[in-house]
Amino acid sequence: MTRRISILGATGSIGGSTLDLIARQPDRWRVAALTANCQAQELARLARRFDAEVAVVADETCLPELRDALAGSGIEAAGGAGALIESAARPVDITIAAIVGCAGLAPTMAAIEQGRTVALANKEALVSAGDVMKAAVARCGTVLLPMDSEHNAIFQCLAGNDPAYVRSITLTASGGPFRDWSMAQLAAATPAQAVKHPNWSMGAKISVDSATMFNKGLELIEAWHLFPVALDALRIIIHPQSVVHSMVEYRDGSTLAQLGPSDMRVPIASCLAWPERMDTPCPPLDLARLGELTFRPPDEDRFPATRLAREAAAAGGAAPAVLNAANEMAVAAFLAGHLPFTRIAVTVEELLARYVPPAAASLDEVIAIDAEARSVARQMLELV
Amino acid sequence: MTRRISILGATGSIGGSTLDLIARQPDRWRVAALTANCQAQELARLARRFDAEVAVVADETCLPELRDALAGSGIEAAGGAGALIESAARPVDITIAAIVGCAGLAPTMAAIEQGRTVALANKEALVSAGDVMKAAVARCGTVLLPMDSEHNAIFQCLAGNDPAYVRSITLTASGGPFRDWSMAQLAAATPAQAVKHPNWSMGAKISVDSATMFNKGLELIEAWHLFPVALDALRIIIHPQSVVHSMVEYRDGSTLAQLGPSDMRVPIASCLAWPERMDTPCPPLDLARLGELTFRPPDEDRFPATRLAREAAAAGGAAPAVLNAANEMAVAAFLAGHLPFTRIAVTVEELLARYVPPAAASLDEVIAIDAEARSVARQMLELV
């Protein structure tokens, strides 16, 4: 049976891994929409290769280049925010929602409103717009599959079990490149050091998030939205090898864990094939070769991000959205060399102390809060 | 809702752990039959405490003592093989089949033939009588729940997944007390050394099986009967901490593992409550405190048992039953000081080379083959 798929964020790392898997089952998939921000040449190449129906650049100024690159292909080219949302609303069996940042919110919402399956790799959808998105998922009867390796692991560990019997959920964290650094070392950490992640190959922003552990803080908020457990039933554990991707403990003392290689194609394949399973080219897990898996408690003195995330979730309102926006601004300032590494968390904490608007009731409100939080953060950062 | 339960083998370690859990939910359970081999006093105490309908000793000579001990209680007392089978056929919602050895076969079969739920802790049911038992399970529509920690772990890792998508199943093994011993040390191993298991508190026979790794070999044969995978998809890995109880790898590269304390109440609770979950008094898993989990490949030169088990399963016919009977006789000879530790596996291998009758078609044939294999093994052992 052929399934229709759209990939929102096709030129990113998640998009690339998804297309790698689809290329291995060409008869099973029909690509509807592929979207990118502005990489017109790469998007056109993918659209031709996968015979997409439509290719969309979010940045309308890139549309002429996309049109040229698709000339004669018969593939529709479109550009701009409206076209992006329209392409996300095009009927498919599954949408891969992998646009980074708040730019992904409206197209992700359009995909959710189809009432089919949405595999979610956009953090903001749950961190900043969790309540709004979840309401849409419930209203439209959408199947929401988490694509992050941690949340996908939890999803798999919950399969076949009633979530009412969950005692705790533990997100594993590599601890990032600075996990063994002292406070003094952290204070002097450079952007070049922060973007070198030990286990996963990722972009600069997300690598810094891994180094600060804001990545794990955001995942904690996502898990809190995705899975029906109390905030204090969500745990974090440092696991440098990143082999165990997360765990669910049940009230009888059984813990189920999902393990696998540090290859996003595993959770992506889990979403693409769910509730079935598909082959991936990922090598089998060889624990005997790995030899050991180690675990240790997180240190929230050196890495306050997970504490801040828990506090933001507990505070409610738009606190998680503010945390996310403040972190993005602080990371940008750090990457630009304007903010010491350890000031990232301090900036977020200060902003959370100063500015927490009530919960957003709509996507427009989410976006307005995000913009305002960024603006307040920008003012704060100029004072540093 | 009250559920009716019978415990075949109530005075053993599995029976005790089961009753410990039931005692914590007195309103949920109604005990039908409790059975023992000959421990009349202990059985009577349990029958009174749990207000059983009937208490049965397999050894009829112990019946007068049981009758005396139950006098005035209103609890029925019975004895002998026929009474044992009759009590196992008494209608219940779930039967705990925990009688050790071939003595457990006929009562386990009677429980299976009820067509309800049987939680299986008797190895022989699958190792020696696998085909016969599985046919009865299929014919009667019985739900068979594996109670061994490893098989229960696999059962949990398969929940919600189609077994067709399994790439491999890995049984973990502590490696036993001799896992780091040289061949020379193994040749001189004493019974006292062999019965000291590092992680689990168990009887002498099963402790020796853990030391030789015949325990894991028997579990491999059980897993091969229980789960629909090819023999070469069943793996064994040494994991000295016994925290990961087994794993299932899917074709997409996802591995699900079940972890927990070395406490049989966890898998027993999983069976008692299945498909729900019940509370146990077992402490939460604290991986940060444990610090590390280690893994290494098994060494089938020093510990040939798992190779022999794989070969017996592949040979088919009654080879697994012969392996089991030969191992029991050899372990008894070792415990009696008549056989060196390393000769246990040699004895099994020699017997398997000499005597493999065709597959049993009935329980009577299973029992006849078992008796004959023991007799041949006994002759062989007298020649050592």
Side-chain angles (χ1 to χ4, degrees), chain B:
Chain B
M1 189 194 61
T2 304
R3 297 177 73 209
R4 285 173 56 84
I5 185 169
S6 284
I7 302 174
L8 313 178
T11 56
S13 129
I14 296 287
S17 293
T18 305
L19 289 167
D20 174 86
L21 290 170
I22 285 176
R24 294 163 197 274
Q25 300 187 322
D27 298 343
R28 279 215 63 182
W29 298 99
R30 177 84 190 91
V31 175
L34 295 180
T35 86
N37 185 35
C38 192
Q39 291 154 276
Q41 295 300 333
E42 174 63 3
L43 181 64
R45 189 186 69 76
L46 295 172
R48 283 178 183 271
R49 168 142 187 243
F50 289 92
D51 194 21
E53 293 170 10
V54 59
V56 186
V57 279
D59 183 340
E60 210 163 352
T61 63
C62 308
L63 180 56
E65 188 187 351
L66 179 67
R67 276 217 181 92
D68 284 355
L70 286 174
S73 68
I75 297 167
E76 197 180 328
L84 189 61
I85 292 170
E86 226 167 76
S87 75
R90 196 174 279 234
V92 289
D93 297 297
I94 181 168
T95 303
I96 310 301
I99 297 175
V100 174
C102 277
L105 290 182
T108 299
M109 182 63 106
I112 286 174
E113 284 172 344
Q114 290 194 34
R116 304 302 296 269
T117 298
V118 174
L120 194 64
N122 169 292
K123 278 196 197 309
E124 286 72 15
L126 289 171
V127 172
S128 301
D131 295 332
V132 175
M133 291 281 173
K134 275 167 58 191
V137 165
R139 189 176 68 244
C140 306
T142 306
V143 174
L144 194 66
L145 300 176
M147 215 165 206
D148 254 9
S149 65
E150 292 80 358
H151 302 98
N152 188 263
I154 296 164
F155 183 81
Q156 290 194 43
C157 293
L158 286 169
N161 285 282
D162 185 331
Y165 302 125
V166 172
R167 187 192 274 169
S168 69
I169 290 177
T170 301
L171 296 156
T172 54
S174 73
F178 301 158
R179 62 178 168 244
D180 297 317
W181 288 30
S182 66
M183 282 299 276
Q185 287 176 303
L186 289 175
T190 67
Q193 292 168 323
V195 298
K196 277 170 68 178
H197 191 278
N199 301 331
W200 298 87
S201 154
M202 306 183 293
K205 157 67 168 62
I206 197 168
S207 291
V208 176
D209 283 347
S210 168
T212 58
M213 291 197 62
F214 265 105
N215 191 31
K216 213 48 58 176
L218 297 171
E219 288 172 9
L220 188 138
I221 296 170
E222 287 182 274
W224 176 61
H225 279 296
L226 280 167
F227 308 113
V229 293
L231 201 53
D232 63 2
L234 286 166
R235 314 276 160 78
I236 286 165
I237 197 166
I238 305 297
H239 168 46
Q241 296 83 13
S242 295
V243 169
V244 177
H245 293 138
S246 278
M247 295 174 267
V248 175
E249 180 168 59
Y250 291 92
R251 59 197 279 184
D252 57 11
S254 264
T255 292
L256 293 182
Q258 190 262 357
L259 295 75
S262 297
D263 187 323
M264 279 305 293
R265 288 178 299 184
V266 175
I268 292 171
S270 159
C271 293
L272 285 178
W274 186 88
E276 298 177 22
R277 300 261 183 186
M278 64 185 280
D279 287 321
T280 64
C282 305
L285 183 68
D286 188 346
L287 282 178
R289 196 183 51 73
L290 286 164
E292 65 168 19
L293 305 176
T294 61
F295 302 90
R296 61 169 112 147
D299 178 350
E300 294 191 339
D301 291 329
R302 286 185 301 142
F303 302 101
T306 50
R307 170 179 62 78
L308 294 174
R310 209 178 293 110
E311 288 172 5
V322 170
L323 173 134
N324 179 58
N327 177 55
E328 277 195 37
M329 299 308 293
V331 169
F334 166 71
L335 285 172
H338 300 149
L339 191 74
F341 181 79
T342 43
R343 294 288 302 174
I344 296 173
V346 174
T347 301
V348 172
E349 183 152 27
E350 286 177 2
L351 189 63
L352 278 171
R354 186 185 298 191
Y355 170 73
V356 177
S362 70
L363 219 50
D364 287 343
E365 281 182 38
V366 169
I367 291 164
I369 288 167
D370 180 73
E372 195 178 342
R374 277 163 207 272
S375 154
V376 178
R378 205 174 290 115
Q379 289 164 32
M380 274 180 51
L381 286 163
E382 282 167 3
L383 298 177
V384 170

Side-chain angles (χ1 to χ4, degrees), chain A:
Chain A
M1 189 195 63
T2 304
R3 296 178 72 210
R4 286 173 57 84
I5 185 169
S6 283
I7 303 174
L8 313 178
T11 55
S13 130
I14 296 287
S17 293
T18 305
L19 289 168
D20 174 87
L21 290 170
I22 285 177
R24 293 163 197 275
Q25 300 187 322
D27 297 343
R28 279 214 64 182
W29 297 98
R30 176 86 191 90
V31 176
L34 295 181
T35 86
N37 185 34
C38 192
Q39 291 153 277
Q41 295 300 332
E42 174 64 3
L43 181 63
R45 189 186 70 77
L46 295 171
R48 282 178 183 271
R49 169 144 187 240
F50 289 92
D51 193 21
E53 293 171 9
V54 58
V56 187
V57 278
D59 184 339
E60 210 164 350
T61 63
C62 308
L63 180 55
E65 188 186 350
L66 179 66
R67 277 217 181 94
D68 283 354
L70 286 175
S73 68
I75 298 167
E76 198 180 328
L84 189 61
I85 293 171
E86 227 166 77
S87 75
R90 196 174 280 235
V92 289
D93 297 297
I94 182 168
T95 302
I96 309 302
I99 296 176
V100 175
C102 276
L105 290 180
T108 299
M109 182 62 106
I112 287 173
E113 285 173 343
Q114 289 194 33
R116 305 302 296 272
T117 298
V118 174
L120 194 63
N122 169 294
K123 278 195 196 313
E124 286 71 15
L126 290 171
V127 173
S128 302
D131 295 332
V132 175
M133 291 281 173
K134 275 166 60 191
V137 165
R139 189 177 67 243
C140 306
T142 306
V143 174
L144 195 66
L145 300 176
M147 216 164 204
D148 254 9
S149 65
E150 292 81 358
H151 303 98
N152 187 264
I154 295 164
F155 183 81
Q156 290 194 43
C157 293
L158 286 168
N161 284 282
D162 186 330
Y165 301 124
V166 172
R167 187 191 274 169
S168 69
I169 290 178
T170 301
L171 295 155
T172 54
S174 73
F178 302 158
R179 63 180 167 243
D180 296 317
W181 287 30
S182 68
M183 282 299 276
Q185 287 175 300
L186 289 175
T190 67
Q193 292 167 323
V195 298
K196 278 170 67 177
H197 191 277
N199 301 330
W200 297 88
S201 155
M202 306 182 294
K205 156 67 167 62
I206 197 169
S207 291
V208 176
D209 283 348
S210 169
T212 57
M213 291 198 62
F214 265 104
N215 191 32
K216 213 49 57 177
L218 297 172
E219 288 171 10
L220 188 137
I221 296 171
E222 287 183 272
W224 176 61
H225 279 296
L226 280 167
F227 309 113
V229 294
L231 201 53
D232 63 2
L234 286 167
R235 313 277 161 77
I236 286 165
I237 197 167
I238 305 296
H239 169 46
Q241 297 83 12
S242 294
V243 169
V244 177
H245 293 140
S246 279
M247 296 175 267
V248 174
E249 180 168 57
Y250 291 92
R251 59 198 279 185
D252 56 11
S254 264
T255 292
L256 293 182
Q258 190 263 356
L259 295 75
S262 297
D263 187 324
M264 279 305 294
R265 288 178 298 184
V266 175
I268 293 171
S270 158
C271 293
L272 286 178
W274 186 86
E276 299 178 22
R277 299 262 184 185
M278 63 185 282
D279 288 321
T280 64
C282 305
L285 184 68
D286 188 347
L287 282 177
R289 195 182 52 74
L290 286 165
E292 66 169 18
L293 304 177
T294 63
F295 303 89
R296 63 169 111 145
D299 178 351
E300 293 191 339
D301 291 329
R302 285 186 301 141
F303 301 101
T306 50
R307 171 179 60 78
L308 294 174
R310 208 178 292 109
E311 288 171 5
V322 170
L323 173 133
N324 178 58
N327 178 54
E328 277 195 35
M329 299 308 293
V331 169
F334 166 70
L335 285 172
H338 301 149
L339 192 75
F341 182 79
T342 44
R343 293 289 301 174
I344 297 174
V346 174
T347 301
V348 172
E349 184 153 26
E350 285 177 2
L351 189 62
L352 278 170
R354 187 185 299 190
Y355 171 74
V356 176
S362 69
L363 220 50
D364 287 343
E365 281 182 39
V366 169
I367 291 164
I369 288 166
D370 181 74
E372 194 178 343
R374 278 162 206 271
S375 153
V376 178
R378 208 173 289 119
Q379 289 164 31
M380 273 180 53
L381 286 164
E382 284 169 2
L383 298 175
V384 169

